[in-house]
């Protein structure tokens, strides 16, 4: 018979078969549940008709023979073992304490469950995807591990007049998570909490109170496109579509954009996009590939005053800026002087934009486009532009 620590259920079956066949031997106590650090004395009693003396017996724990110094012969047919300062069970299915005869055959056994009672669950958080469900997640309290099987139940009720209910759709992929998908009520607060229990005790989380409309999140924006703006080598245009799942709801969406260089993992985030569905990225490197993502926050659904919850980021969309013609010039001296002048004038213009425009303002971008077109004309035209300033 295998001796691994994962076969406690198998030992219980073997014990039942042996007793049924008349090979009577008993280990007491049967399947105890103990706190970590406690002591245990177990006894192995064999029927006198078996003709087995207690001196010939030995004990194993999870397949490893225990030293005889832990044994005590209580009678010719009874051998005990004492375990002090028990460590936590190796798995929630229990540890195997088994009594053997001198040939190593199993006479009887018991499953030990050594662990801790659960502590109060923490970090209870809930969100609703497009108001179609209410999903909550939490974390075990304390160190998070009780070492014995612990059951968690998400419970809820309408705050003023509801009856207590238990969430039924527990996640198989994410531990400590459950989704409420039926009989959802909008404009009515919920009371939600988590109960944890095992064979050593129970604990209850703090109760949170929320309205579904205050915790709505949505799908990432769809139809994200990134394109060039003519030959402007340091700009890209980003467009997207509002989440279709919320098209019938009264709300004002907020959007964020983040972008990065192809060879970098560092994202730059634009927080001031507002509720429009297009934006221009400026100050980019010429001739460079950028990855762009957009996400949405459905703020103020039906007048909710909560901050809202951001969606996941959209799938990355890539585009490249045009190459700079000046950088391709054969005259390195004139190219360097030209670029130096361009950088100086660009810095001056962007300083003006900072004072007079915000975010993705279409007015400031139009002025900027016109200014760049003028700057990319002949030196004579650039001089004229400088005179007008």
């Amino acid at each position: 018979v295998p001796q691994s620590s994962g076969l406690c259920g198998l030992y219980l079956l073997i014990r039942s078969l042996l007793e049924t066949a008349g090979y009577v031997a008993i280990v007491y106590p049967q399947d105890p549940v103990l706190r970590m650090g406690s002591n245990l004395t177990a006894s192995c009693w064999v029927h006198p008709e078996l003709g087995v003396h207690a001196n010939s017996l030995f004990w194993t724990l999870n397949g490893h023979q225990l030293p005889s110094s832990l044994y005590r012969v209580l009678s010719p047919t009874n051998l005990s073992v004492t375990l002090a300062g028990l460590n936590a069970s190796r798995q929630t299915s229990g540890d195997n304490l088994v009594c053997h005869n001198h040939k190593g055959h199993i006479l009887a056994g018991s499953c030990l469950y050594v662990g801790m009672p659960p502590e109060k669950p923490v970090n209870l958080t809930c969100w609703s995807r497009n108001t179609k469900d209410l999903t909550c997640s939490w974390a075990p309290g304390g160190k998070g591990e009780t070492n014995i099987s612990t059951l968690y139940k998400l419970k809820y009720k309408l705050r003023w007049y509801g009856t207590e209910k238990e969430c039924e759709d527990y996640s198989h992929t994410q531990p400590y998570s459950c989704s409420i998908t039926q009989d959802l009520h909008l404009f009515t607060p919920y009371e939600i909490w988590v109960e944890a229990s095992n064979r050593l005790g129970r604990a209850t989380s703090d109760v949170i109170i929320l309205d579904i409309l205050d915790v709505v999140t949505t799908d990432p924006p769809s139809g994200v496109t990134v394109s060039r703006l003519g030959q402007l080598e340091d700009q890209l245009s980003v467009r997207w579509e509002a989440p279709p799942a919320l098209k019938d709801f009264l709300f004002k969406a907020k959007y964020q954009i983040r972008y990065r260089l192809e060879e970098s993992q560092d994202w730059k985030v634009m927080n001031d996009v507002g509720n429009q569905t297009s934006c221009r990225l400026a100050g980019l490197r010429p001739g460079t590939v950028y990855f762009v993502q957009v996400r949405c926050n459905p703020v103020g659904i039906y007048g909710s005053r909560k901050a809202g919850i951001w969606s996941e980021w959209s799938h990355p969309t890539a585009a490249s800026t045009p190459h700079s013609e000046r950088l391709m010039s054969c005259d390195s001296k004139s190219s360097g002087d030209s670029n130096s002048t361009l950088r100086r004038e660009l810095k001056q213009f962007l300083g003006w934009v900072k004072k007079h425009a915000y975010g993705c303002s279409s007015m400031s971008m139009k002025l900027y486009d016109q200014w760049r077109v003028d700057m990319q004309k002949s030196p004579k035209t650039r001089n004229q532009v400088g005179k007008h300033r």
Side-chain angles (χ1 to χ4, degrees):
V1 175
Q3 301 290 313
S4 73
S5 61
L7 299 175
C8 211
L10 178 58
Y11 281 120
L12 295 178
L13 176 61
I14 293 173
R15 182 177 73 200
S16 175
L17 293 174
L18 289 172
E19 292 173 353
T20 302
Y23 296 96
V24 180
I26 299 175
V27 168
Y28 181 84
Q30 282 295 306
D31 311 329
V33 181
L34 306 161
R35 283 178 177 256
M36 291 170 53
S38 60
N39 302 330
L40 171 70
T41 297
S43 298
C44 178
W45 177 86
V46 295
H47 196 282
E49 293 183 0
L50 291 179
V52 176
H53 196 279
N55 282 328
S56 66
L57 306 180
F58 67 90
W59 292 89
T60 61
L61 179 63
N62 292 329
H64 299 284
Q65 186 169 340
L66 296 173
S68 59
S69 59
L70 304 178
Y71 304 167
R72 181 184 176 190
V73 177
L74 302 179
S75 73
T77 57
N78 196 341
L79 178 70
S80 71
V81 63
T82 298
L83 305 175
L86 288 169
N87 294 321
S89 296
R90 294 186 182 182
Q91 70 246 324
T92 56
S93 61
D95 293 333
N96 305 307
L97 181 62
V98 180
C99 177
H100 304 258
N101 67 13
H102 68 285
K103 294 182 179 180
H105 296 157
I106 295 174
L107 296 179
S110 180
C111 289
L112 308 184
Y113 301 92
V114 185
M116 296 294 292
E119 296 190 41
K120 181 175 74 173
V122 295
N123 300 334
L124 176 57
T125 306
C126 303
W127 62 94
S128 174
R129 183 172 292 277
N130 303 318
T131 72
K132 302 302 182 184
D133 60 16
L134 183 62
T135 300
C136 299
S137 66
W138 61 92
K143 295 182 179 179
E145 181 58 68
T146 61
N147 297 102
I148 60 176
S149 179
T150 300
L151 179 65
Y152 292 89
K153 294 181 179 180
L154 179 71
K155 295 190 174 182
Y156 64 98
K157 71 182 187 70
L158 294 176
R159 186 176 187 187
W160 293 301
Y161 53 85
T163 57
E164 180 180 308
K165 297 181 180 180
E166 180 185 345
C167 179
E168 298 179 353
D169 189 10
Y170 289 91
S171 173
H172 297 290
T173 57
Q174 292 185 334
Y176 316 121
S177 177
C178 190
S179 296
I180 304 168
T181 57
Q182 297 180 347
D183 299 327
L184 294 176
H185 296 263
L186 303 181
F187 308 102
T188 304
Y190 279 86
E191 293 182 2
I192 303 175
W193 66 97
V194 176
E195 295 179 356
S197 62
N198 63 25
R199 295 167 71 177
L200 290 174
R202 61 180 59 248
T204 302
S205 73
D206 293 333
V207 177
I208 64 172
I209 300 173
L210 59 84
D211 190 311
I212 290 179
L213 294 176
D214 293 336
V215 293
V216 175
T217 186
T218 187
D219 304 312
S222 59
V224 179
T225 61
V226 184
S227 57
R228 295 180 178 182
L229 285 166
Q231 292 303 309
L232 296 176
E233 69 267 16
D234 66 346
Q235 291 190 40
L236 290 172
S237 173
V238 185
R239 296 181 179 276
W240 60 91
E241 298 175 5
L246 295 178
K247 64 180 181 179
D248 296 328
F249 288 85
L250 179 63
F251 73 103
K252 182 179 180 181
K254 290 196 305 185
Y255 296 98
Q256 280 184 342
I257 296 176
R258 71 176 185 178
Y259 59 95
R260 64 173 175 86
L261 299 171
E262 181 181 25
E263 67 273 13
S264 172
Q265 294 302 316
D266 297 327
W267 293 92
K268 182 175 181 180
V269 179
M270 296 186 65
N271 292 309
D272 53 358
V273 179
N275 66 341
Q276 56 190 334
T277 56
S278 65
C279 185
R280 295 190 186 186
L281 306 179
L284 308 178
R285 290 187 191 176
T288 304
V289 175
Y290 284 87
F291 287 95
V292 180
Q293 292 179 294
V294 186
R295 67 177 181 174
C296 175
N297 186 334
V299 178
I301 292 184
Y302 290 138
S304 170
R305 296 185 178 182
K306 298 296 183 178
I309 300 177
W310 287 103
S311 72
E312 298 294 328
W313 290 100
S314 63
H315 293 296
T317 303
S320 63
T321 53
H323 288 276
S324 172
E325 295 182 1
R326 290 180 180 79
L327 295 177
M328 298 171 62
S329 171
C330 294
D331 186 345
S332 59
K333 184 177 184 303
S334 62
S335 175
D337 293 343
S338 176
N339 284 330
S340 177
T341 301
L342 178 60
R343 284 195 295 271
R344 182 174 63 254
E345 293 176 340
L346 178 59
K347 185 176 180 181
Q348 293 173 349
F349 179 81
L350 291 178
W352 180 90
V353 169
K354 277 188 176 181
K355 294 180 181 179
H356 296 83
Y358 302 93
C360 296
S361 168
S362 59
M363 180 186 72
S364 64
M365 288 302 164
K366 288 179 180 178
L367 290 174
Y368 181 63
D369 292 348
Q370 184 58 50
W371 181 79
R372 289 303 310 276
V373 170
D374 290 340
M375 289 305 300
Q376 291 175 8
K377 292 181 181 179
S378 65
K380 179 179 179 181
T381 306
R382 289 201 300 274
N383 292 335
Q384 293 173 351
V385 172
K387 290 178 181 179
H388 289 310
R389 286 200 306 271

